[in-house]
Amino acid sequence: SQKIEQNSEALNIQEGKTATLTCNYTNYSPAYLQWYRQDPGRGPVFLLLIRENEKEKRKERLKVTFDTTLKQSLFHITASQPADSATYLCALGSSYKLIFGSGTRLLVRP
Amino acid sequence: DSGVTQTPKHLITATGQRVTLRCSPRSGDLSVYWYQQSLDQGLQFLIQYYNGEERAKGNILERFSAQQFPDLHSELNLSSLELGDSALYFCASSGGGLAGVYEQYFGPGTRLTVT
């Protein structure tokens, strides 16, 4: 069955550094990959969508890469800020479903 | 504010009971999705409706059902509730009917506690 792996351990970094989160998947070939941010007790918030024929996508301080050969997506936040502290979810998409990973918690220390 | 509203915010009920969760999508969005999020399961897709019709089904139990009304709001009905149904239930909406193609806008969720 399809499996999405995101690091269950929190990523703890210093303010100003680049945070890199990993999303690996198996038994699936998604046409789309999405990233969401979720704060405790709140609904996920959409950040970026990347298609299988795109290698990289950027939005302000965010960058996503999508490697269909490695079956991996990397999510980068440059010049991280304490306000970036949250759980980040990757989601694999086809036409008819979007499957979410369990997320990685990011903590940015001032 | 995503523009998606959900009521109620909190719900406490007993095992065996039935509850109804309500969701209003963003203005203009035709798709509504329901998700369940518990601590040990992550965000699990339950069901999607598009313009009043069921479009896709996930791991939705037979005790659960949903519908989307002509005004596009949706309701999720949970019956014969069990302790394990305690979770956050999110509704999301998107403009199109293809789940993976469009970004989804999530509501604030309904926290269900079954005692």
Side-chain angles (χ1 to χ4, degrees), chain A residues 17-67:
Chain A
K17 301 292 187 185
T18 295
T20 299
L21 285 70
T22 304
C23 175
N24 295 302
Y25 59 92
T26 55
N27 299 326
Y28 196 43
S29 295
Y32 309 90
L33 195 144
Q34 302 186 22
W35 283 87
Y36 289 77
R37 168 188 172 136
Q38 186 173 26
D39 292 285
R42 307 192 71 166
V45 175
F46 171 78
L47 297 174
L48 282 167
L49 180 153
I50 187 166
R51 294 170 174 76
E52 61 178 340
N53 60 351
E54 298 175 313
K55 295 296 182 190
E56 180 180 298
K57 202 147 192 187
R58 293 174 185 260
K59 179 183 173 184
E60 298 172 352
R61 295 184 296 112
L62 309 181
K63 184 178 86 172
V64 171
T65 62
F66 191 7
D67 189 325

Side-chain angles (χ1 to χ4, degrees), chain B residues 22-72:
Chain B
R22 183 187 167 102
C23 167
S24 291
R26 284 191 327 157
S27 177
D29 282 357
L30 298 178
S31 271
V32 168
Y33 310 81
W34 286 98
Y35 292 88
Q36 179 192 57
Q37 188 173 42
S38 53
L39 282 174
D40 58 345
Q41 290 281 335
L43 198 62
Q44 299 291 313
F45 168 65
L46 296 178
I47 197 164
Q48 177 200 359
Y49 280 83
Y50 177 72
N51 204 19
E53 295 194 1
E54 183 183 303
R55 175 62 69 101
K57 234 173 183 176
N59 300 324
I60 188 166
L61 300 172
E62 284 192 12
R63 300 183 286 110
F64 296 0
S65 65
Q67 55 183 324
Q68 186 179 31
F69 295 87
D71 66 353
L72 301 178

Side-chain angles (χ1 to χ4, degrees), chain A residues 34 36 38 43-44 46 49 94-95, chain B residues 37 98-104:
Chain A
Q34 302 186 22
Y36 289 77
Q38 186 173 26
F46 171 78
L49 180 153
S94 64
S95 295
Chain B
Q37 188 173 42
L98 303 178
V101 178
Y102 297 91
E103 61 262 37
Q104 295 184 17

Side-chain angles (χ1 to χ4, degrees), chain B residues 72-93:
Chain B
L72 301 178
H73 91 271
S74 177
E75 292 181 356
L76 178 68
N77 300 297
L78 314 176
S79 61
S80 301
L81 285 168
E82 302 174 359
L83 295 177
D85 297 327
S86 296
L88 262 173
Y89 290 84
F90 289 107
C91 164
S93 73

Side-chain angles (χ1 to χ4, degrees), chain A residues 1-31:
Chain A
S1 63
Q2 301 136 0
K3 191 174 179 183
I4 306 171
E5 289 182 356
Q6 292 188 260
N7 199 336
S8 58
E9 289 184 18
L11 178 62
N12 200 322
I13 66 168
Q14 184 76 40
E15 180 177 10
K17 301 292 187 185
T18 295
T20 299
L21 285 70
T22 304
C23 175
N24 295 302
Y25 59 92
T26 55
N27 299 326
Y28 196 43
S29 295

Side-chain angles (χ1 to χ4, degrees), chain A residues 92-107:
Chain A
L92 308 184
S94 64
S95 295
Y96 292 102
K97 56 184 173 181
L98 190 63
I99 305 169
F100 283 83
S102 54
T104 296
R105 196 154 59 101
L106 172 66
L107 299 171

